[in-house]
Amino acid sequence: MLKLSILDQSPVSSGYTHSDALQQTIALAQAADRLGYTRFWASEHHNSMGLAGSSPEVLISSLAARTSRIRFGSGGVLLPHYSAYKVAENFRMLEALYPGRIDLGIGRAPGGTPHTAKALRGVSADLFEGLERFPAQVTDLLGFLTDSVEPGHVFEGIRATPLVAGVPQVWLLGSTGQSGVYASQAGAAFCFAHFINGAGGQQAVRSYRSSFRPSALNVVPQATVCIYVLCAETQAEAEGLAASLDLRILQMEKGEFTGVKSPEEAADYGYSDWDQTRVQDNRSRMIVGDPGHVKQQLLSLAESYQVDEVMIVAGGYHWETRLRTIELLADAFNMK
């Protein structure tokens, strides 16, 4: 049976606060734990009025303390902004506190504007230099996590603490084939962000598998795919609720990071011809419908990627819409 997991971005709906969004993420994680989902990842975005999750490490610790079974991870830590050593220590600490339940998802996107990236790294930091250093950072990070920093390396003899027996599962995240290349070279798992880029993901995963190098992390390749999902009792209800998700994706493309609008606000939005074309095209990045339709589409997606797990980003304006999506899918897949 297909395994299901969740990526939550802590979206801020119009009329709600960032604190509200984080409390909704906590409640969604508790429901996912109860319903039998495999893992729950928290995202990292900065200087965003529409997304509240800026520190996945802190949020993961809170979520794991409130649950008992499900794995928690970052979707993902934006490594170019940070010290590989500090990231290793953060996730070793999480592994020590919640052994066997921690994933470290790594991304290389800026997670905000170039100006925001400079604030994260320091005003003199060069964004492109950070991206160029990414492969070396991944190597350093894995060395710290597995106590395998090579002799002669500038960091030889330095160990990440606390010292723990386990290692977080390491995933590289991306919406292009390049991230799959990095994952295969590192021997890490790979998650393709279909919710960001609805084209080319299957080929990226195939290439990742074919060039995978076994490592201390994984002997065989492991991959998953992440997609927007909105599920309701009927197809018509789902389509009505999806207007909020359609508009949210469109506004993110246009740089309008103002939060999730209600279906009523979405209906009143002044869509241009270009907007309407983009809304239609963006449907390749999501699955919308009743439980039977969504289940079949998720199974087809998994088959096309040749994966046994799919991660969903539950969409919708109301928090109850996101909750209902994961409840209906748990029933459809007999997860309880």
Side-chain angles (χ1 to χ4, degrees):
M1 178 61 71
L2 182 67
K3 293 181 290 186
L4 294 182
S5 295
I6 296 169
L7 167 64
D8 191 70
Q9 299 176 306
S10 300
V12 184
S13 294
S14 60
Y16 291 85
T17 67
H18 281 226
S19 293
D20 293 332
L22 292 172
Q23 291 302 314
Q24 291 165 1
T25 290
I26 291 170
L28 196 69
Q30 291 174 319
D33 185 51
R34 182 179 70 251
L35 292 168
Y37 282 79
T38 299
R39 64 186 92 239
F40 188 104
W41 286 356
S43 67
E44 178 179 337
H45 296 86
H46 299 282
N47 192 30
S48 173
M49 301 305 100
L51 299 170
S54 59
S55 180
E57 304 94 330
V58 175
L59 186 53
I60 287 167
S61 189
S62 179
L63 297 176
R66 289 171 163 84
T67 53
S68 61
R69 177 204 56 81
I70 193 171
R71 298 186 67 92
F72 285 101
S74 52
V77 167
L78 305 178
L79 187 58
H81 296 317
Y82 310 118
S83 153
Y85 182 65
K86 184 58 177 176
V87 173
E89 289 201 321
N90 283 340
F91 278 82
R92 272 202 161 178
M93 178 64 75
L94 289 170
E95 180 66 26
L97 294 171
Y98 310 104
R101 296 180 60 199
I102 300 301
D103 297 336
L104 168 52
I106 305 165
R108 61 191 181 101
T113 65
H115 192 54
T116 303
K118 283 193 173 185
L120 281 165
R121 301 182 193 184
V123 293
S124 62
D126 186 290
L127 176 62
F128 296 102
E129 179 184 358
L131 294 177
E132 291 172 357
R133 291 178 53 244
F134 182 75
Q137 281 189 293
V138 171
T139 299
D140 292 344
L141 175 62
L142 300 185
F144 291 133
L145 287 173
T146 60
D147 292 321
S148 59
V149 176
E150 295 183 356
H153 192 285
V154 65
F155 297 136
E156 181 183 2
I158 298 177
R159 300 186 70 185
T161 55
L163 304 180
V164 293
V167 178
Q169 285 190 11
V170 179
W171 294 76
L172 263 65
L173 322 178
S175 57
T176 68
Q178 186 58 55
S179 295
V181 171
Y182 293 143
S184 64
Q185 291 173 345
F190 176 48
C191 176
F192 187 84
H194 193 102
F195 74 101
I196 295 175
N197 179 11
Q202 292 87 343
Q203 179 57 48
V205 171
R206 284 194 295 270
S207 297
Y208 157 74
R209 286 200 180 94
S210 66
S211 57
F212 180 82
R213 301 175 186 175
S215 70
L217 299 171
N218 294 288
V219 177
V220 296
Q222 181 178 356
T224 188
V225 56
C226 185
I227 188 169
Y228 284 117
V229 175
L230 194 153
C231 186
E233 277 80 359
T234 68
Q235 192 75 29
E237 181 185 3
E239 288 291 343
L241 295 170
S244 295
L245 182 55
D246 287 331
L247 180 56
R248 179 193 170 196
I249 296 173
L250 175 66
Q251 290 188 303
M252 290 176 69
E253 289 184 335
K254 296 168 70 174
E256 302 172 4
F257 302 109
T258 57
V260 185
K261 304 301 183 185
S262 69
E264 294 76 19
E265 289 173 311
D268 291 337
Y269 186 82
Y271 294 92
S272 67
D273 290 343
W274 182 89
D275 290 341
Q276 292 173 345
T277 299
R278 291 305 306 146
V279 166
Q280 185 62 38
D281 290 345
N282 285 334
R283 280 302 182 102
S284 67
R285 299 157 56 184
M286 67 178 82
I287 297 173
V288 174
D290 59 53
H293 174 77
V294 172
K295 178 180 180 179
Q296 186 54 53
Q297 290 298 305
L298 286 172
L299 290 171
S300 296
L301 182 73
E303 183 178 3
S304 73
Y305 274 86
Q306 291 296 290
V307 296
D308 62 3
E309 177 181 353
V310 172
M311 181 165 281
I312 69 168
V313 183
Y317 169 75
H318 295 287
W319 124 257
E320 292 85 358
T321 300
R322 293 155 61 207
L323 175 63
R324 192 60 182 144
T325 287
I326 71 169
E327 289 176 338
L328 290 171
L329 290 183
D331 286 339
F333 283 89
N334 298 313
M335 289 166 50
K336 295 180 183 179

